Amino acid sequence: MSDQPDKHRYFAEVARQIAAINQAIVVIGLIAVAGIVALSEADRKFGEQDRTNQEQVTTWK
């Protein structure tokens, strides 16, 4: 029976490591979502600027 506390400590440590890995995955996911949002916003702004430039070129002709 002396090995029971060791098993409990081992499984508690494994559970803590799994929780830490899950938190890291969530953080990475949130960073990825923020990056995608930033890129889509930049793409939208670039598209608006491109349309404005095309309108100016058409007007100058």
Side-chain angles (χ1 to χ4, degrees), residues 10-20:
Y10 171 76
F11 287 119
E13 181 60 29
V14 168
R16 277 193 291 273
Q17 290 175 358
I18 290 172

Side-chain angles (χ1 to χ4, degrees), residues 5-7 15 25-27 29 31-32 35 39 42 44-46 48 59 61:
D6 289 337
K7 281 185 183 177
I25 290 170
V26 167
V27 168
I31 291 170
L39 286 173
R44 184 186 65 78
K45 286 183 179 179
F46 177 78
E48 288 176 0
T59 305
K61 288 181 181 179

